[in-house]
Amino acid sequence: GTITQDQDSSKPLDVPSNVGAGVAEAEIIVFALEKLEDIQGLDVFKRGAIVQRTTTDVAGAFSFSLFKGEYMIEVVVDHHVSDSRQIEVKGGRTTDLSFNIATVP
């Protein structure tokens, strides 16, 4: 996956920015999701233990291998959670997971 820079909404659009540039050294944390219950076809999960952790390279790229299951992926930039996403990993498949976040330079 990749982490790229989005326009900072607190700045005017005419201010030069790095929109589209990779975000280096963002921390990617992968949590297991534990199924609590199934309510009328709606699965309810809670965030469990950390199963993997990595950082992005200079281009904002990252990769990791996970077993089949449900996970929560968090993107941490400058010690703040910038974005998160729940994913389902299916056996034998590759999933591209990219985030477009606004960071404060």
Side-chain angles (χ1 to χ4, degrees):
T2 55
I3 310 296
T4 54
Q5 176 70 42
D6 195 3
Q7 175 67 40
D8 183 348
S9 61
S10 67
K11 294 181 180 177
L13 289 177
D14 61 347
V15 172
S17 67
N18 294 350
V19 172
V23 178
E25 298 184 20
E27 185 175 18
I28 312 300
I29 305 172
V30 182
F31 296 91
L33 285 180
E34 300 171 7
K35 188 172 182 178
L36 293 177
E37 57 187 302
D38 181 356
I39 303 172
Q40 298 177 356
L42 177 65
D43 293 335
V44 179
F45 292 91
K46 77 171 188 169
R47 188 173 80 176
I50 294 173
V51 294
Q52 284 209 33
R53 196 176 261 214
T54 190
T55 56
T56 58
D57 64 14
V58 295
F62 66 94
S63 67
F64 41 79
S65 295
L66 297 170
F67 291 107
K68 179 180 173 182
E70 300 276 344
Y71 299 92
M72 174 65 66
I73 311 295
E74 285 189 355
V75 177
V76 179
V77 178
D78 296 329
H79 307 289
H80 300 290
V81 175
S82 297
D83 202 351
S84 64
R85 197 169 301 157
Q86 181 177 329
I87 64 165
E88 179 181 4
V89 174
K90 298 183 179 182
R93 294 191 179 171
T94 300
T95 302
D96 182 32
L97 184 64
S98 297
F99 295 87
N100 192 19
I101 62 172
T103 61
V104 178

